[in-house]
Amino acid sequence: MRSKKRSRVWLAALPLYLFTILFVAGPLIYMVVLSFMSKSDSWGIEAVFTLRNYERIGEPVYRECFVQSLKLAFTTTFLTGLIGYPFGYFMAKLSPSKKRLLLLLIMIPFWTSSLIRLYGWMIILQAKGVLYQTIRFLGFEIKPLKLLYSYPAVVVGMVYALLPFMMLAVYSSVDKMDWNLVEAARDLGASAAKAFWTVTFRLTLPGLLSGVILTFVPSMGLFFIADILGGNKIVLVGSLIQDQLTRGADWPFAAALSVVLMTITTLLLILYRRIANTGELEGIV
Amino acid sequence: MSETILELKGIRKAFDGVSVLNGIDLSIDSGEFITLLGSSGCGKTTTLRIVAGLEFPDEGSVILEGQDVTGKSPDKRDVNTVFQNYALFPHMTVAENVAYGLKLRKVPKAEQKKRVAEALELVQLAGYEKRRPAQLSGGQKQRVAIARALVNNPRVLLLDEPLGALDLQLRRQMQIELKRLQKRLGITFIYITHDQEEALNMSDRIAVMHGGVFEQIGTPDQIYDKPRTDYVAKFVGSANVICGTVLRKTGNSLAVAAENGTVFVKVGNEAEYLAGQEVRMAVRSEKLQICEADSEPTSKSRRQESREQEAAKQENEGRGDDSLKGFEQQCPKTTGIPCTVKEISFAGGMLRMAMETESGEELIASRHGIRPDQKVGDHVLVFWDPEAAVLVEKSSVEGANEK
Ligand SMILES: Nc1ncnc2c1ncn2[C@@H]1O[C@H](COP(=O)(O)OP(=O)(O)OP(=O)(O)O)[C@@H](O)[C@H]1O
Ligand SMILES: [Mg+2]
């Protein structure tokens, strides 16, 4: 009876297993295998085992690329959390009708391509762009801006692109918050700040943490923002991989870069889970 | 010992234009156990929240130990609350929950530990320190909530139905424990309950609340034996309330015409009543007596007549009119209200009989035993010992928000 039931469950899950094997595990294995092969001169791959691809990543140019990617991802995630948490928090405290309006406002930009929105940022950040005009209009005499094609511009673009995920993640956990608990804390003698820190923040941490993951993981790979807003000054692993795939036509090296990128991300996530794992976060992170 | 610790003066509160508290005045002595009793939605929790500082009154003031704390935040008041919905911190263990207040007060670690252990011992939850609220039953959560508030040894402890989720046995036990503890520590308790028995057993005073005001504040004896209004009589004593008009007063006995009958109420010797004056009587269901009405069908006018005679006789305290002999033997003291038996049921070894008067009012009688002498449809006369009835005022509130 029991085994029958179990087999039926297995059967129901079969499509899922197939899908996973075909579209997730398969490509991953292919990529790992590829990363140990060598490039042949004529646009191709030779099935000759080599560690050369991984050795190359150790070279300063490429190493620098990884460092820069990590730095940008951390900065982006940190700033996104810093802005997104309070935003999500206050949004959850609004009246239902205002909440709905705000949620809509957050969603609307997704109706246009992110590429187009990035060009919008270019118009704003240009030397004599919208930002410059606005500052001038407010009566400040400034030199044309040197913002575009700089690191800050890339950070702005990244934060802009990823902020909605953070806000929504925080919002959904603050929205579920039982405010009676804050009252209980206040009643037991906690100041407003203390009650926030010991109760509200602790209980909405899962939201913040999933926001962090939703921000950090993509920010390791969102190369086109850096390409567009950073000119060619900032080369991230993502764009490096893309470059190797297309112009460089070095698939094994691209695969090796991908493997390393994925490993770093995974390790960081595991580490993060360790730190954050306090029981009630299970199932979220 | 009896200095005032807490005073509520003219507290009013409305939510979204709907008034919930309509002028609450209450003065509580230090060390007193006062219970707020009232039906659901009458504003008990709101009153408590205003004392705790979780809600601010629209009007009126809260005076704690001689200081006006009306606008002060909860952490600035030496008051702790046991919440109706427990409000335990889900991310902390039982021990951490209980220690929360002590930690904020920077009580040394060793003492914290000792006091937490004591508090948990008291609510019979020693050994549950490491559990999380999610791993507790409703009753256990409730007891953790009690321990968490109690451990801080506040001047005033507010308890919002703290024993509501417990089974009868544990509830009895906790009632005794809480009462004992309250006496020993001298903490002032403001206690909310739906359970009249709990209120009557535990309280020094009871404030019966109805529609955002106090109908009556008094000792359990006063509330039970001398209800001021019909609402209190109904809610606390589950009494029958019968309206009538005064016929005459003789000595300390007041004859009242009510529901096509004449009944008697014992009143003070000095009290003056005018014939024709409207009065309300409250008689608890177990005090109602019942006898068979005349077995042979009598015309209404004859019944009326005999009642008049009966009333006259009552006045003279003399008995023995021939024309009423049979009736007399069954109903020795008073005439009664003619009723029809509508429903007979049993609950907890009690027989409960619902009857309807000729004008359609319902009267409930109850007594021990399970075998009814009457059956549904019988015509009966309902009467009572004049001492069993009290005169009550009409409640000034027309069942406001209550459900
Ligand atoms: N925050 C609020 N907003 C709007 N209405 C409220 C609010 N709090 C309470 N009320 C209303 O005030 C009235 C009194 O509520 P309260 O919680 O004081 O009742 P209660 O006497 O404690 O009832 P119960 O015995 O069911 O707990 C109710 O009608 C309730 O709907
Ligand atoms: Mg309540």
Side-chain angles (χ1 to χ4, degrees):
Chain A
M1 184 71 201
R2 182 160 251 206
S3 67
K4 206 172 182 183
K5 222 177 203 169
R6 202 168 280 169
S7 75
R8 218 177 276 156
V9 170
W10 198 89
L11 213 68
L14 193 63
L16 196 70
Y17 285 123
L18 277 177
F19 182 89
T20 314
I21 289 168
L22 253 131
F23 296 106
V24 181
L28 265 178
I29 293 165
Y30 176 61
M31 189 176 78
V32 173
V33 172
L34 199 62
S35 71
F36 290 104
M37 294 184 175
S38 20
K39 178 192 169 196
S40 76
D41 291 329
S42 58
W43 223 102
I45 307 142
E46 267 180 329
V48 179
F49 179 83
T50 176
L51 288 174
R52 174 86 191 100
N53 297 318
Y54 287 97
E55 280 163 19
R56 270 177 77 193
I57 293 174
E59 285 168 22
V61 201
Y62 301 122
R63 209 173 47 210
E64 180 55 28
C65 191
F66 271 98
V67 170
Q68 209 158 43
S69 290
L70 277 171
K71 211 176 94 189
L72 182 64
F74 276 119
T75 315
T76 304
T77 307
F78 178 76
L79 287 176
T80 313
L82 208 64
I83 303 166
Y85 187 90
F87 196 96
Y89 179 92
F90 287 113
M91 194 163 90
K93 285 208 144 192
L94 291 176
S95 71
S97 60
K98 281 186 190 147
K99 266 185 215 174
R100 243 170 310 172
L101 181 73
L102 229 62
L103 280 172
L104 189 72
L105 287 177
I106 291 175
M107 298 298 182
I108 284 175
F110 285 99
W111 297 348
T112 37
S113 142
S114 52
L115 220 54
I116 290 174
R117 285 183 280 140
L118 273 184
Y119 284 112
W121 273 107
M122 285 180 75
I123 294 167
I124 294 171
L125 297 176
Q126 270 166 10
K128 291 192 174 179
V130 176
L131 185 63
Y132 170 79
Q133 304 283 352
T134 311
I135 296 173
R136 286 281 296 247
F137 180 78
L138 291 173
F140 297 98
E141 278 303 316
I142 48 161
K143 278 186 252 166
L145 299 173
K146 284 182 191 153
L147 262 176
L148 194 57
Y149 309 129
S150 71
Y151 189 72
V154 177
V155 172
V156 166
M158 295 282 273
V159 170
Y160 166 76
L162 295 168
L163 196 55
F165 301 105
M166 177 65 84
M167 289 189 312
L168 292 178
V170 172
Y171 164 79
S172 71
S173 74
V174 178
D175 203 37
K176 281 194 291 253
M177 177 77 195
D178 176 4
W179 297 106
N180 275 318
L181 299 176
V182 178
E183 291 189 338
R186 297 297 310 270
D187 185 75
L188 289 164
S191 63
K194 192 87 186 171
F196 172 79
W197 184 246
T198 55
V199 178
T200 316
F201 187 72
R202 279 307 317 280
L203 288 174
T204 54
L205 202 56
L208 180 63
L209 296 186
S210 43
V212 163
I213 288 175
L214 287 175
T215 322
F216 184 81
V217 176
S219 68
M220 285 295 285
L222 272 179
F223 56 87
F224 65 93
I225 294 178
D227 281 356
I228 293 172
L229 294 178
N232 48 9
K233 281 186 217 140
I234 292 141
V235 182
L236 300 181
V237 185
S239 43
L240 189 62
I241 294 170
Q242 190 218 19
D243 216 46
Q244 293 303 319
L245 278 174
T246 53
R247 256 179 298 167
D250 190 344
W251 284 39
F253 184 49
L257 284 170
S258 302
V259 169
V260 173
L261 178 63
M262 273 186 52
T263 311
I264 291 173
T265 312
T266 310
L267 283 178
L268 280 171
L269 284 184
I270 289 171
L271 183 75
Y272 172 77
R273 232 188 115 150
R274 278 273 162 78
I275 298 167
N277 205 348
T278 45
E280 74 268 24
L281 300 178
E282 275 157 38
I284 293 150
V285 177
Chain B
M1 188 61 201
S2 68
E3 96 258 25
T4 304
I5 189 161
L6 179 76
E7 252 182 299
L8 301 180
K9 288 185 182 165
I11 303 274
R12 284 174 184 280
K13 177 78 186 173
F15 289 111
D16 314 315
V18 180
S19 69
V20 170
L21 300 181
N22 303 304
I24 292 284
D25 290 288
L26 184 63
S27 173
I28 299 171
D29 286 345
S30 174
E32 198 176 10
F33 191 125
I34 190 157
T35 299
L36 305 187
L37 188 63
S39 55
S40 186
C42 70
K44 304 182 296 290
T45 300
T46 308
T47 308
L48 224 59
R49 287 171 60 80
I50 285 173
V51 174
L54 297 168
E55 209 82 71
F56 298 103
D58 300 336
E59 260 178 63
S61 48
V62 182
I63 318 280
L64 184 65
E65 296 184 280
Q67 278 195 326
D68 191 329
V69 296
T70 315
K72 279 198 178 159
S73 62
D75 51 318
K76 301 278 187 311
R77 308 181 184 196
D78 196 2
V79 167
N80 286 128
T81 308
V82 179
F83 290 88
Q84 191 167 10
N85 53 10
Y86 327 136
L88 298 180
F89 305 125
H91 57 297
M92 298 182 195
T93 63
V94 167
E96 285 166 345
N97 262 285
V98 178
Y100 189 84
L102 298 176
K103 219 160 147 187
L104 286 172
R105 237 153 278 156
K106 307 220 158 52
V107 173
K109 271 270 152 58
E111 196 191 330
Q112 269 185 37
K113 215 169 163 195
K114 198 177 121 246
R115 280 169 72 175
V116 168
E118 275 173 12
L120 286 176
E121 185 81 43
L122 191 93
V123 295
Q124 307 182 13
L125 282 178
Y128 285 73
E129 286 83 355
K130 294 262 160 1
R131 295 232 197 158
R132 292 196 179 249
Q135 300 165 310
L136 299 176
S137 75
Q140 289 166 341
K141 281 183 203 162
Q142 205 157 39
R143 284 180 283 155
V144 174
I146 294 174
R148 184 179 66 176
L150 209 53
V151 77
N152 303 298
N153 211 349
R155 294 288 284 145
V156 179
L157 188 64
L158 312 176
L159 303 100
D160 199 343
E161 299 193 34
L163 307 181
L166 305 185
D167 61 71
L168 201 61
Q169 195 189 345
L170 190 56
R171 178 193 287 231
R172 291 273 145 75
Q173 226 171 325
M174 289 292 301
Q175 283 175 1
I176 295 167
E177 286 290 344
L178 275 181
K179 181 75 191 168
R180 194 178 291 159
L181 189 91
Q182 185 258 342
K183 278 259 165 61
R184 199 182 77 214
L185 301 178
I187 302 178
T188 309
F189 270 35
I190 307 182
Y191 194 95
I192 291 184
T193 180
H194 272 123
D195 182 347
Q196 319 149 12
E197 212 179 304
E198 191 168 290
L200 293 168
N201 285 340
M202 295 176 82
S203 325
D204 294 325
R205 276 195 304 159
I206 296 173
V208 182
M209 207 170 179
H210 180 43
V213 293
F214 289 136
E215 289 263 329
Q216 186 176 7
I217 304 173
T219 64
D221 286 345
Q222 287 168 346
I223 299 279
Y224 195 67
D225 294 329
K226 291 269 174 290
R228 194 182 67 80
T229 64
D230 52 355
Y231 179 80
V232 176
K234 277 185 197 163
F235 193 76
V236 182
S238 31
N240 296 287
V241 174
I242 301 136
C243 303
T245 50
V246 172
L247 291 172
R248 65 195 82 82
K249 185 187 171 209
T250 318
N252 58 6
S253 171
L254 194 71
V256 179
E259 303 288 343
N260 290 336
T262 307
V263 288
F264 296 88
V265 188
K266 190 182 168 196
V267 291
N269 270 320
E270 288 79 39
E272 294 207 9
Y273 294 90
L274 301 171
Q277 182 184 344
E278 284 211 14
V279 290
R280 272 156 200 267
M281 296 156 288
V283 193
R284 283 207 291 276
S285 60
E286 68 271 19
K287 302 279 188 183
L288 285 191
Q289 300 178 45
I290 296 156
C291 66
E292 302 281 345
D294 297 349
S295 43
E296 76 265 29
T298 50
S299 73
K300 203 150 195 169
S301 64
R302 225 209 93 178
R303 287 231 301 261
Q304 197 82 40
E305 195 183 86
S306 53
R307 262 194 300 280
E308 299 257 293
Q309 286 170 350
E310 179 68 17
K313 202 156 39 56
Q314 175 80 22
E315 225 172 300
N316 303 330
E317 309 272 28
R319 304 192 165 264
D321 194 322
D322 302 334
S323 64
L324 287 158
K325 207 144 211 160
F327 184 68
E328 191 72 358
Q329 279 161 359
Q330 285 176 320
C331 311
K333 277 191 181 163
T334 67
T335 49
I337 297 174
C339 291
T340 312
V341 178
K342 283 288 167 198
E343 193 187 311
I344 296 172
S345 55
F346 311 95
M350 294 285 278
L351 177 73
R352 182 180 176 279
M353 183 149 31
M355 292 159 298
E356 198 178 69
T357 66
E358 286 173 2
S359 72
E361 290 289 316
E362 189 182 58
L363 295 181
I364 307 284
S366 65
R367 63 175 158 84
H368 286 285
I370 52 162
R371 201 173 306 129
D373 298 328
Q374 280 78 23
K375 52 188 190 303
V376 173
D378 276 2
H379 293 284
V380 293
L381 279 174
V382 173
F383 62 102
W384 55 79
D385 191 328
E387 301 203 353
V390 283
L391 289 183
V392 293
E393 291 170 28
K394 182 170 168 23
S395 166
S396 55
V397 188
E398 284 305 327
N401 301 315
E402 273 109 308
K403 279 275 141 58

